[in-house]
Amino acid sequence: QLQLVESGGGLVQPGGSLRLSCAASTLALHAIGWFRQAPGKEREGISCISSSGGTTNYVDSVKGRFTISRDNAKKTVYLQMNSLKPEDTAVYYCAARLLRCGSQWSEYGYWGQGTQVTVSA
């Protein structure tokens, strides 16, 4: 059973940065997606990295500000978030599926518990 644990969330001022981590019990064969959900809103996929690291994608609202990366030796995927905005406030989740990024959150079978990111002055 693959297990995922997110960390790195917190309170940051607008324009600030955070780096989220997703530690996995096993990682090499899995694509990892980052999702977020704000109160009263639907879950949103924001970024994904394939198992090889050769493919990454981002939702338009975070392009140029967020960077996803992975370290298979450490079984960890990172989401570097820069130039944070109040609208980035949400619970952030990482999720896993085999090999390739999925197009919908329902295609991911393994989920972490989430980490809160709050962007506020």
Side-chain angles (χ1 to χ4, degrees), residues 78-96:
Y78 304 98
L79 186 68
Q80 178 66 44
M81 307 188 296
N82 299 328
S83 303
L84 283 161
K85 305 175 181 180
E87 51 263 43
D88 294 318
T89 295
V91 178
Y92 283 68
Y93 300 90
C94 64

Side-chain angles (χ1 to χ4, degrees), residues 9-86:
L11 173 64
V12 63
Q13 292 185 342
S17 297
L18 284 174
R19 187 176 78 160
L20 304 184
S21 297
C22 175
S25 56
T26 180
L27 185 63
L29 296 180
H30 292 84
I32 299 293
W34 281 99
F35 298 78
R36 66 186 179 188
Q37 189 164 19
K41 295 188 176 181
E42 293 186 354
R43 192 175 314 185
E44 175 187 31
I46 57 173
S47 185
C48 181
I49 186 166
S50 63
S51 59
S52 69
T55 299
T56 59
N57 55 50
Y58 302 89
V59 69
D60 285 347
S61 60
V62 308
K63 282 181 181 177
R65 300 189 299 124
F66 291 11
T67 303
I68 192 170
S69 63
R70 64 190 290 149
D71 184 336
N72 283 353
K74 294 183 178 180
K75 300 180 185 178
T76 302
V77 171
Y78 304 98
L79 186 68
Q80 178 66 44
M81 307 188 296
N82 299 328
S83 303
L84 283 161
K85 305 175 181 180

